[in-house]
Amino acid sequence: ASSTKSSYEIVTLTTWLLKQEQAGVIDNEMTIVLASISTACKQIAALVQRAPISNLTGVQGAVNVQGEDQKKLDVVSNEVFSNCLKSSGRTGVIASEEEDVPVAVEESYSGNYIVVFDPLDGSSNIDAAVSTGSIFGIYAPNDECLADVENSGTRCVVSVCQPGSNLLAAGYCMYSSSVIFVLTLGAGVYVFTLDPMYGEFVLTQEKVQIPKAGKIYAFNEGNYALWDDKLKKYMDSLKEPGDSGKPYSARYIGSLVGDFHRTLLYGGIYGYPRDRKSKNGKLRLLYECAPMSFIVEQAGGKGSDGHQRILDITPTEIHQRVPLYIGSVEEVDKVEKFLA
Ligand code: AHM
Ligand code: MG
């Protein structure tokens, strides 16, 4: 047989997932959950692209549970994500950035997996058509870590608060010049690109490895004056031209998924530190930092809160915040040294 790959030979996310199932990497329930997430992402991609036309931009007026203005698209994306998961019939509990407590799926439907997600991260970028993304993580239930859950108006207790090291799968979808779906099942990182011609996610990169080092940093340096001295020294060091005569380059979209995806492919570091006003930084452990850290580790990188591995932290609250330093191993090691 010829070893030349035909240009008509494409691997879609669906066929890839079925192959993983056949190989015993995931079970049938997980395949269905992941397929429903990819459907949600396709729907959100279409909503994001058409937002200025369908009048979905702008603040809705509502304020979400964390006191932030809730944009229209946040609300809609949350509904899309939740509905896709619920109708998959394979998700027991979902926890979302936009809901104040995790939601248990009706018993008649209920499956086992616990899905945590941020349906539309970086939504402050939407009005200017700048990149945004959805982030998700999937856990198995664990009776030892329990949290309050809302189930048709009544509260019950389920297992949501697990450390990221328990993640079975994690991924994100980036809504940018291309729509990119990145997934790990705990054995490497796979990248799929939405083919607008077929409406399918097509495998475009496998076993992605993040460069060991990279001279790009992504921090919101507007907060510099609020940082502690150790972090300021680190930041100043990146601007030293050093032996090469070239300092680090700054890149900051203000959209975790976009900033992370660039870091994954080009190397470097993304950071959201704690500061004088935000004692634990801004990003949420459960559905932002842990899934991204799982992905970066699967690509040979590192995710840290500045002192310890993100995946080792057990959340005590659903919306718990944590400082995040994530990217190339050498870059994250460097910031940890400065902060020690
Ligand atoms: P969000 O979940 O409310 O959208 O906030 C998270 C976003 C991240 O995508 C991004 O990295 C960060 O907030 C940017 O924050 P800042 O504007 O403070 O730099
Ligand atoms: Mg978010």
Side-chain angles (χ1 to χ4, degrees), residues 68 97 118 121-123 220 252 254-256 270 272 282-284 288:
E68 303 158 329
E97 173 171 323
D118 184 347
D121 185 70
S123 49
N220 184 346
Y252 192 74
S255 198
L256 175 62
Y270 171 91
Y272 209 108
K282 175 181 186 188
L283 301 178
R284 268 55 59 113
E288 292 174 332

Side-chain angles (χ1 to χ4, degrees), residues 206-268:
E206 28 189 4
K207 298 186 185 139
V208 175
Q209 286 290 306
I210 184 171
K212 290 278 168 257
K215 295 189 87 176
I216 301 175
Y217 70 93
F219 284 66
N220 184 346
E221 259 189 285
N223 294 323
Y224 185 91
L226 303 174
W227 291 348
D228 81 36
D229 289 342
K230 290 173 176 173
L231 186 66
K232 285 181 181 169
K233 285 208 178 88
Y234 164 74
M235 189 47 63
D236 298 344
S237 80
L238 302 185
K239 296 172 181 173
E240 295 291 341
D243 295 340
S244 70
K246 202 176 176 300
Y248 280 61
S249 292
R251 295 283 185 277
Y252 192 74
I253 302 169
S255 198
L256 175 62
V257 174
D259 282 311
F260 178 86
H261 192 65
R262 183 198 56 247
T263 306
L264 180 69
L265 298 187
Y266 298 172

